[in-house]
mmCIF file of all heavy atoms in Angstrom:
data_model
loop_
_atom_site.group_PDB
_atom_site.id
_atom_site.type_symbol
_atom_site.label_atom_id
_atom_site.label_comp_id
_atom_site.label_asym_id
_atom_site.label_seq_id
_atom_site.Cartn_x
_atom_site.Cartn_y
_atom_site.Cartn_z
ATOM 1 N N THR A 1 33.731 65.890 -31.410
ATOM 2 C CA THR A 1 34.119 64.561 -30.841
ATOM 3 C C THR A 1 32.949 63.816 -30.241
ATOM 4 O O THR A 1 33.074 62.612 -29.996
ATOM 5 C CB THR A 1 35.214 64.842 -29.733
ATOM 6 O OG1 THR A 1 34.618 65.656 -28.738
ATOM 7 C CG2 THR A 1 36.418 65.420 -30.305
ATOM 8 N N GLU A 2 31.743 64.458 -30.105
ATOM 9 C CA GLU A 2 30.593 63.800 -29.594
ATOM 10 C C GLU A 2 29.513 63.867 -30.763
ATOM 11 O O GLU A 2 29.389 64.891 -31.402
ATOM 12 C CB GLU A 2 30.039 64.443 -28.322
ATOM 13 C CG GLU A 2 30.958 64.178 -27.162
ATOM 14 C CD GLU A 2 30.340 64.688 -25.889
ATOM 15 O OE1 GLU A 2 29.822 65.764 -25.798
ATOM 16 O OE2 GLU A 2 30.306 63.943 -24.867
ATOM 17 N N VAL A 3 28.729 62.823 -30.898
ATOM 18 C CA VAL A 3 27.668 62.773 -31.783
ATOM 19 C C VAL A 3 26.393 62.256 -31.251
ATOM 20 O O VAL A 3 26.323 61.641 -30.182
ATOM 21 C CB VAL A 3 28.120 61.732 -33.001
ATOM 22 C CG1 VAL A 3 29.308 62.229 -33.685
ATOM 23 C CG2 VAL A 3 28.371 60.382 -32.470
ATOM 24 N N THR A 4 25.304 62.632 -31.938
ATOM 25 C CA THR A 4 24.017 62.255 -31.507
ATOM 26 C C THR A 4 23.597 60.847 -32.068
ATOM 27 O O THR A 4 24.227 60.385 -33.023
ATOM 28 C CB THR A 4 22.917 63.226 -31.942
ATOM 29 O OG1 THR A 4 22.923 63.239 -33.480
ATOM 30 C CG2 THR A 4 23.166 64.637 -31.466
ATOM 31 N N LEU A 5 22.576 60.282 -31.676
ATOM 32 C CA LEU A 5 22.101 59.042 -32.240
ATOM 33 C C LEU A 5 21.624 59.224 -33.623
ATOM 34 O O LEU A 5 21.970 58.263 -34.482
ATOM 35 C CB LEU A 5 20.902 58.475 -31.360
ATOM 36 C CG LEU A 5 20.540 57.017 -31.491
ATOM 37 C CD1 LEU A 5 21.823 56.164 -31.226
ATOM 38 C CD2 LEU A 5 19.458 56.705 -30.592
ATOM 39 N N ALA A 6 21.141 60.423 -34.013
ATOM 40 C CA ALA A 6 20.844 60.595 -35.406
ATOM 41 C C ALA A 6 22.089 60.612 -36.271
ATOM 42 O O ALA A 6 22.044 60.081 -37.428
ATOM 43 C CB ALA A 6 20.010 61.989 -35.495
ATOM 44 N N THR A 7 23.248 61.200 -35.769
ATOM 45 C CA THR A 7 24.410 61.111 -36.604
ATOM 46 C C THR A 7 24.918 59.666 -36.662
ATOM 47 O O THR A 7 25.416 59.254 -37.717
ATOM 48 C CB THR A 7 25.436 62.061 -35.876
ATOM 49 O OG1 THR A 7 24.925 63.326 -35.882
ATOM 50 C CG2 THR A 7 26.758 62.056 -36.697
ATOM 51 N N ILE A 8 24.836 58.906 -35.701
ATOM 52 C CA ILE A 8 25.340 57.514 -35.685
ATOM 53 C C ILE A 8 24.363 56.833 -36.764
ATOM 54 O O ILE A 8 25.010 56.036 -37.425
ATOM 55 C CB ILE A 8 25.200 56.866 -34.241
ATOM 56 C CG1 ILE A 8 26.127 57.506 -33.324
ATOM 57 C CG2 ILE A 8 25.318 55.330 -34.283
ATOM 58 C CD1 ILE A 8 25.889 57.132 -31.867
ATOM 59 N N ALA A 9 23.225 57.086 -36.748
ATOM 60 C CA ALA A 9 22.255 56.381 -37.691
ATOM 61 C C ALA A 9 22.727 56.795 -39.152
ATOM 62 O O ALA A 9 22.763 55.915 -40.089
ATOM 63 C CB ALA A 9 20.895 56.899 -37.523
ATOM 64 N N ARG A 10 23.059 58.081 -39.392
ATOM 65 C CA ARG A 10 23.559 58.443 -40.754
ATOM 66 C C ARG A 10 24.800 57.831 -41.117
ATOM 67 O O ARG A 10 25.093 57.408 -42.270
ATOM 68 C CB ARG A 10 23.700 59.987 -40.695
ATOM 69 C CG ARG A 10 22.326 60.750 -40.913
ATOM 70 C CD ARG A 10 22.612 62.211 -41.334
ATOM 71 N NE ARG A 10 23.216 62.944 -40.285
ATOM 72 C CZ ARG A 10 22.750 63.557 -39.258
ATOM 73 N NH1 ARG A 10 21.387 63.381 -38.947
ATOM 74 N NH2 ARG A 10 23.433 64.237 -38.339
ATOM 75 N N MET A 11 25.680 57.588 -40.074
ATOM 76 C CA MET A 11 26.941 56.925 -40.383
ATOM 77 C C MET A 11 26.658 55.525 -40.922
ATOM 78 O O MET A 11 27.424 55.014 -41.797
ATOM 79 C CB MET A 11 27.897 56.858 -39.090
ATOM 80 C CG MET A 11 28.486 58.024 -38.699
ATOM 81 S SD MET A 11 29.711 57.790 -37.527
ATOM 82 C CE MET A 11 29.074 58.195 -36.056
ATOM 83 N N ALA A 12 25.714 54.870 -40.379
ATOM 84 C CA ALA A 12 25.349 53.561 -40.793
ATOM 85 C C ALA A 12 24.333 53.438 -41.983
ATOM 86 O O ALA A 12 24.111 52.343 -42.408
ATOM 87 C CB ALA A 12 24.765 52.766 -39.588
ATOM 88 N N GLY A 13 23.885 54.617 -42.360
ATOM 89 C CA GLY A 13 22.904 54.620 -43.473
ATOM 90 C C GLY A 13 21.497 54.138 -43.142
ATOM 91 O O GLY A 13 20.825 53.633 -44.053
ATOM 92 N N VAL A 14 21.028 54.384 -41.870
ATOM 93 C CA VAL A 14 19.748 53.980 -41.520
ATOM 94 C C VAL A 14 19.031 55.125 -40.771
ATOM 95 O O VAL A 14 19.760 56.166 -40.527
ATOM 96 C CB VAL A 14 19.809 52.764 -40.526
ATOM 97 C CG1 VAL A 14 20.491 51.551 -41.219
ATOM 98 C CG2 VAL A 14 20.621 53.092 -39.269
ATOM 99 N N GLY A 15 17.844 54.946 -40.465
ATOM 100 C CA GLY A 15 17.058 55.898 -39.631
ATOM 101 C C GLY A 15 17.459 55.866 -38.184
ATOM 102 O O GLY A 15 18.071 54.910 -37.703
ATOM 103 N N ARG A 16 17.097 57.011 -37.462
ATOM 104 C CA ARG A 16 17.470 57.021 -36.003
ATOM 105 C C ARG A 16 16.712 55.952 -35.331
ATOM 106 O O ARG A 16 17.372 55.397 -34.266
ATOM 107 C CB ARG A 16 16.943 58.386 -35.478
ATOM 108 C CG ARG A 16 17.440 58.599 -34.033
ATOM 109 C CD ARG A 16 16.810 59.847 -33.559
ATOM 110 N NE ARG A 16 17.248 60.154 -32.155
ATOM 111 C CZ ARG A 16 16.828 59.511 -31.042
ATOM 112 N NH1 ARG A 16 15.917 58.611 -31.145
ATOM 113 N NH2 ARG A 16 17.179 59.839 -29.901
ATOM 114 N N ALA A 17 15.546 55.519 -35.652
ATOM 115 C CA ALA A 17 14.883 54.482 -35.028
ATOM 116 C C ALA A 17 15.656 53.261 -34.992
ATOM 117 O O ALA A 17 15.644 52.423 -34.021
ATOM 118 C CB ALA A 17 13.421 54.288 -35.499
ATOM 119 N N ALA A 18 16.262 52.779 -36.155
ATOM 120 C CA ALA A 18 17.028 51.649 -36.236
ATOM 121 C C ALA A 18 18.256 51.683 -35.356
ATOM 122 O O ALA A 18 18.454 50.683 -34.559
ATOM 123 C CB ALA A 18 17.460 51.458 -37.734
ATOM 124 N N ALA A 19 18.967 52.791 -35.270
ATOM 125 C CA ALA A 19 20.098 52.885 -34.434
ATOM 126 C C ALA A 19 19.714 52.854 -32.921
ATOM 127 O O ALA A 19 20.334 52.178 -32.204
ATOM 128 C CB ALA A 19 20.799 54.247 -34.639
ATOM 129 N N ALA A 20 18.542 53.406 -32.629
ATOM 130 C CA ALA A 20 18.008 53.303 -31.215
ATOM 131 C C ALA A 20 17.617 51.892 -30.918
ATOM 132 O O ALA A 20 17.972 51.478 -29.791
ATOM 133 C CB ALA A 20 16.781 54.260 -31.016
ATOM 134 N N ASN A 21 17.066 51.143 -31.775
ATOM 135 C CA ASN A 21 16.729 49.832 -31.685
ATOM 136 C C ASN A 21 18.018 48.952 -31.339
ATOM 137 O O ASN A 21 18.063 48.097 -30.468
ATOM 138 C CB ASN A 21 15.955 49.308 -32.788
ATOM 139 C CG ASN A 21 15.395 47.968 -32.514
ATOM 140 O OD1 ASN A 21 15.060 47.482 -31.355
ATOM 141 N ND2 ASN A 21 15.240 47.087 -33.620
ATOM 142 N N TRP A 22 19.062 49.261 -32.126
ATOM 143 C CA TRP A 22 20.361 48.413 -31.961
ATOM 144 C C TRP A 22 20.818 48.793 -30.560
ATOM 145 O O TRP A 22 21.381 47.876 -29.900
ATOM 146 C CB TRP A 22 21.450 48.865 -32.971
ATOM 147 C CG TRP A 22 20.995 48.587 -34.343
ATOM 148 C CD1 TRP A 22 20.181 47.613 -34.886
ATOM 149 C CD2 TRP A 22 21.626 49.144 -35.506
ATOM 150 N NE1 TRP A 22 20.169 47.705 -36.200
ATOM 151 C CE2 TRP A 22 20.978 48.617 -36.657
ATOM 152 C CE3 TRP A 22 22.514 50.201 -35.752
ATOM 153 C CZ2 TRP A 22 21.306 49.022 -38.015
ATOM 154 C CZ3 TRP A 22 22.887 50.665 -37.023
ATOM 155 C CH2 TRP A 22 22.135 50.006 -38.124
ATOM 156 N N LEU A 23 20.801 49.976 -30.100
ATOM 157 C CA LEU A 23 21.377 50.318 -28.865
ATOM 158 C C LEU A 23 20.589 49.625 -27.725
ATOM 159 O O LEU A 23 21.155 49.157 -26.792
ATOM 160 C CB LEU A 23 21.306 51.866 -28.755
ATOM 161 C CG LEU A 23 21.933 52.407 -27.415
ATOM 162 C CD1 LEU A 23 23.446 52.089 -27.293
ATOM 163 C CD2 LEU A 23 21.813 53.894 -27.392
ATOM 164 N N ARG A 24 19.324 49.605 -27.880
ATOM 165 C CA ARG A 24 18.388 48.975 -26.894
ATOM 166 C C ARG A 24 18.623 47.565 -26.856
ATOM 167 O O ARG A 24 18.747 46.936 -25.736
ATOM 168 C CB ARG A 24 16.971 49.218 -27.250
ATOM 169 C CG ARG A 24 15.969 48.997 -26.171
ATOM 170 C CD ARG A 24 14.573 49.535 -26.502
ATOM 171 N NE ARG A 24 14.108 49.538 -27.914
ATOM 172 C CZ ARG A 24 14.086 50.558 -28.698
ATOM 173 N NH1 ARG A 24 14.452 51.739 -28.350
ATOM 174 N NH2 ARG A 24 13.659 50.367 -29.912
ATOM 175 N N ARG A 25 18.901 46.819 -28.012
ATOM 176 C CA ARG A 25 19.018 45.373 -28.044
ATOM 177 C C ARG A 25 20.374 44.915 -27.684
ATOM 178 O O ARG A 25 20.523 43.943 -27.058
ATOM 179 C CB ARG A 25 18.782 44.895 -29.479
ATOM 180 C CG ARG A 25 17.424 44.900 -29.815
ATOM 181 C CD ARG A 25 17.178 44.220 -31.207
ATOM 182 N NE ARG A 25 15.807 44.249 -31.561
ATOM 183 C CZ ARG A 25 15.330 43.730 -32.744
ATOM 184 N NH1 ARG A 25 16.168 43.221 -33.578
ATOM 185 N NH2 ARG A 25 14.003 43.668 -32.968
ATOM 186 N N HIS A 26 21.413 45.720 -28.127
ATOM 187 C CA HIS A 26 22.857 45.285 -27.912
ATOM 188 C C HIS A 26 23.549 46.035 -26.843
ATOM 189 O O HIS A 26 24.623 45.519 -26.419
ATOM 190 C CB HIS A 26 23.568 45.375 -29.304
ATOM 191 C CG HIS A 26 22.914 44.623 -30.397
ATOM 192 N ND1 HIS A 26 23.060 43.281 -30.549
ATOM 193 C CD2 HIS A 26 22.328 45.177 -31.562
ATOM 194 C CE1 HIS A 26 22.349 42.927 -31.683
ATOM 195 N NE2 HIS A 26 21.856 44.028 -32.209
ATOM 196 N N GLY A 27 23.164 47.166 -26.563
ATOM 197 C CA GLY A 27 23.937 48.015 -25.492
ATOM 198 C C GLY A 27 25.321 48.240 -25.962
ATOM 199 O O GLY A 27 25.585 48.204 -27.186
ATOM 200 N N GLY A 28 26.221 48.455 -25.071
ATOM 201 C CA GLY A 28 27.666 48.555 -25.395
ATOM 202 C C GLY A 28 28.140 49.969 -25.899
ATOM 203 O O GLY A 28 29.316 50.101 -26.240
ATOM 204 N N LEU A 29 27.234 50.883 -25.920
ATOM 205 C CA LEU A 29 27.645 52.324 -26.178
ATOM 206 C C LEU A 29 27.116 53.285 -25.117
ATOM 207 O O LEU A 29 25.923 53.298 -24.980
ATOM 208 C CB LEU A 29 27.061 52.731 -27.574
ATOM 209 C CG LEU A 29 27.447 54.008 -28.082
ATOM 210 C CD1 LEU A 29 29.049 54.273 -28.259
ATOM 211 C CD2 LEU A 29 26.893 54.373 -29.404
ATOM 212 N N GLU A 30 27.983 53.822 -24.407
ATOM 213 C CA GLU A 30 27.535 54.729 -23.177
ATOM 214 C C GLU A 30 27.497 56.225 -23.690
ATOM 215 O O GLU A 30 28.464 56.655 -24.208
ATOM 216 C CB GLU A 30 28.465 54.455 -22.019
ATOM 217 C CG GLU A 30 28.373 53.116 -21.523
ATOM 218 C CD GLU A 30 27.039 52.710 -20.928
ATOM 219 O OE1 GLU A 30 26.364 53.545 -20.273
ATOM 220 O OE2 GLU A 30 26.628 51.510 -21.152
ATOM 221 N N ALA A 31 26.404 56.884 -23.305
ATOM 222 C CA ALA A 31 26.305 58.336 -23.538
ATOM 223 C C ALA A 31 27.240 59.047 -22.613
ATOM 224 O O ALA A 31 27.464 58.568 -21.478
ATOM 225 C CB ALA A 31 25.003 58.844 -23.315
ATOM 226 N N THR A 32 27.812 60.050 -23.060
ATOM 227 C CA THR A 32 28.790 60.896 -22.271
ATOM 228 C C THR A 32 28.316 62.341 -21.975
ATOM 229 O O THR A 32 28.936 62.997 -21.329
ATOM 230 C CB THR A 32 30.199 61.006 -22.916
ATOM 231 O OG1 THR A 32 29.993 61.558 -24.241
ATOM 232 C CG2 THR A 32 30.894 59.716 -22.942
ATOM 233 N N GLY A 33 27.159 62.611 -22.485
ATOM 234 C CA GLY A 33 26.530 63.858 -22.306
ATOM 235 C C GLY A 33 25.132 63.969 -22.920
ATOM 236 O O GLY A 33 24.593 62.916 -23.267
ATOM 237 N N GLY A 34 24.568 65.220 -23.063
ATOM 238 C CA GLY A 34 23.305 65.426 -23.651
ATOM 239 C C GLY A 34 22.358 65.195 -22.613
ATOM 240 O O GLY A 34 22.552 65.286 -21.369
ATOM 241 N N THR A 35 21.047 64.834 -23.091
ATOM 242 C CA THR A 35 19.916 64.535 -22.215
ATOM 243 C C THR A 35 19.419 63.177 -22.550
ATOM 244 O O THR A 35 19.902 62.451 -23.400
ATOM 245 C CB THR A 35 18.832 65.575 -22.590
ATOM 246 O OG1 THR A 35 18.318 65.262 -23.861
ATOM 247 C CG2 THR A 35 19.241 66.987 -22.424
ATOM 248 N N SER A 36 18.505 62.708 -21.701
ATOM 249 C CA SER A 36 17.917 61.362 -21.972
ATOM 250 C C SER A 36 17.210 61.286 -23.306
ATOM 251 O O SER A 36 17.225 60.207 -23.877
ATOM 252 C CB SER A 36 16.933 60.930 -20.852
ATOM 253 O OG SER A 36 15.896 61.889 -20.755
ATOM 254 N N GLU A 37 16.631 62.359 -23.732
ATOM 255 C CA GLU A 37 16.035 62.415 -25.066
ATOM 256 C C GLU A 37 16.974 62.554 -26.109
ATOM 257 O O GLU A 37 16.744 62.141 -27.319
ATOM 258 C CB GLU A 37 14.951 63.514 -25.088
ATOM 259 C CG GLU A 37 13.806 63.425 -24.232
ATOM 260 C CD GLU A 37 14.067 63.801 -22.730
ATOM 261 O OE1 GLU A 37 14.934 64.732 -22.719
ATOM 262 O OE2 GLU A 37 13.459 63.269 -21.879
ATOM 263 N N SER A 38 18.053 63.242 -25.951
ATOM 264 C CA SER A 38 19.103 63.511 -27.044
ATOM 265 C C SER A 38 20.511 63.243 -26.448
ATOM 266 O O SER A 38 21.262 64.206 -26.237
ATOM 267 C CB SER A 38 18.891 64.870 -27.566
ATOM 268 O OG SER A 38 19.835 65.084 -28.664
ATOM 269 N N PRO A 39 20.881 61.916 -26.184
ATOM 270 C CA PRO A 39 22.216 61.733 -25.652
ATOM 271 C C PRO A 39 23.362 61.890 -26.594
ATOM 272 O O PRO A 39 23.046 61.964 -27.795
ATOM 273 C CB PRO A 39 22.144 60.227 -25.325
ATOM 274 C CG PRO A 39 21.158 59.655 -26.210
ATOM 275 C CD PRO A 39 20.155 60.786 -26.329
ATOM 276 N N LEU A 40 24.416 62.247 -26.106
ATOM 277 C CA LEU A 40 25.784 62.436 -26.956
ATOM 278 C C LEU A 40 26.767 61.200 -26.707
ATOM 279 O O LEU A 40 26.795 60.841 -25.471
ATOM 280 C CB LEU A 40 26.412 63.713 -26.569
ATOM 281 C CG LEU A 40 25.560 64.989 -26.925
ATOM 282 C CD1 LEU A 40 26.294 66.233 -26.438
ATOM 283 C CD2 LEU A 40 25.447 65.063 -28.508
ATOM 284 N N PHE A 41 27.345 60.847 -27.747
ATOM 285 C CA PHE A 41 28.190 59.714 -27.611
ATOM 286 C C PHE A 41 29.533 60.144 -28.193
ATOM 287 O O PHE A 41 29.615 60.882 -29.154
ATOM 288 C CB PHE A 41 27.716 58.494 -28.370
ATOM 289 C CG PHE A 41 26.201 58.063 -28.009
ATOM 290 C CD1 PHE A 41 25.200 58.652 -28.598
ATOM 291 C CD2 PHE A 41 26.112 57.067 -27.014
ATOM 292 C CE1 PHE A 41 23.868 58.146 -28.244
ATOM 293 C CE2 PHE A 41 24.809 56.730 -26.598
ATOM 294 C CZ PHE A 41 23.653 57.288 -27.211
ATOM 295 N N PRO A 42 30.612 59.542 -27.662
ATOM 296 C CA PRO A 42 32.015 59.818 -28.376
ATOM 297 C C PRO A 42 31.979 59.221 -29.707
ATOM 298 O O PRO A 42 31.732 58.181 -29.965
ATOM 299 C CB PRO A 42 32.911 59.049 -27.437
ATOM 300 C CG PRO A 42 32.221 58.779 -26.180
ATOM 301 C CD PRO A 42 30.798 58.685 -26.526
ATOM 302 N N ARG A 43 32.430 60.105 -30.669
ATOM 303 C CA ARG A 43 32.443 59.749 -32.090
ATOM 304 C C ARG A 43 33.239 58.427 -32.267
ATOM 305 O O ARG A 43 32.731 57.510 -32.935
ATOM 306 C CB ARG A 43 33.015 60.850 -32.973
ATOM 307 C CG ARG A 43 33.136 60.422 -34.417
ATOM 308 C CD ARG A 43 33.770 61.588 -35.238
ATOM 309 N NE ARG A 43 32.721 62.565 -35.516
ATOM 310 C CZ ARG A 43 31.954 62.515 -36.568
ATOM 311 N NH1 ARG A 43 31.838 61.371 -37.323
ATOM 312 N NH2 ARG A 43 31.043 63.444 -36.749
ATOM 313 N N ALA A 44 34.474 58.411 -31.683
ATOM 314 C CA ALA A 44 35.329 57.162 -31.939
ATOM 315 C C ALA A 44 34.616 55.947 -31.380
ATOM 316 O O ALA A 44 34.694 54.892 -32.068
ATOM 317 C CB ALA A 44 36.587 57.383 -31.357
ATOM 318 N N ALA A 45 34.052 56.075 -30.261
ATOM 319 C CA ALA A 45 33.334 54.893 -29.670
ATOM 320 C C ALA A 45 32.132 54.535 -30.516
ATOM 321 O O ALA A 45 31.773 53.265 -30.683
ATOM 322 C CB ALA A 45 32.912 55.177 -28.245
ATOM 323 N N ALA A 46 31.397 55.533 -31.086
ATOM 324 C CA ALA A 46 30.197 55.216 -31.881
ATOM 325 C C ALA A 46 30.684 54.509 -33.171
ATOM 326 O O ALA A 46 30.093 53.529 -33.546
ATOM 327 C CB ALA A 46 29.501 56.487 -32.255
ATOM 328 N N GLU A 47 31.764 54.860 -33.741
ATOM 329 C CA GLU A 47 32.247 54.242 -34.993
ATOM 330 C C GLU A 47 32.609 52.803 -34.692
ATOM 331 O O GLU A 47 32.325 51.918 -35.444
ATOM 332 C CB GLU A 47 33.426 55.031 -35.491
ATOM 333 C CG GLU A 47 33.109 56.337 -36.141
ATOM 334 C CD GLU A 47 34.183 57.208 -36.586
ATOM 335 O OE1 GLU A 47 35.373 56.713 -36.668
ATOM 336 O OE2 GLU A 47 33.968 58.320 -37.122
#
């Protein structure tokens, strides 16, 4: 039920850096666990 930023990037067909950039620019997705280096996000919210 939780996914990493790398998984989110794979869902969108891009690299992790692109997904991290979207998150930095647009916000709107809050981590629910993990660490600052490897946050975890709810799968449904990420989709």
Side-chain angles (χ1 to χ4, degrees):
T1 59
E2 291 185 311
V3 294
T4 64
L5 198 54
T7 301
I8 294 170
R10 281 194 298 277
M11 287 195 254
V14 299
R16 186 186 183 286
N21 191 31
W22 297 338
L23 186 58
R24 197 170 34 257
R25 286 185 180 179
H26 303 288
L29 183 62
E30 297 298 320
T32 56
T35 66
S36 60
E37 293 82 29
S38 185
L40 293 173
F41 304 91
R43 176 181 282 277
E47 290 175 6

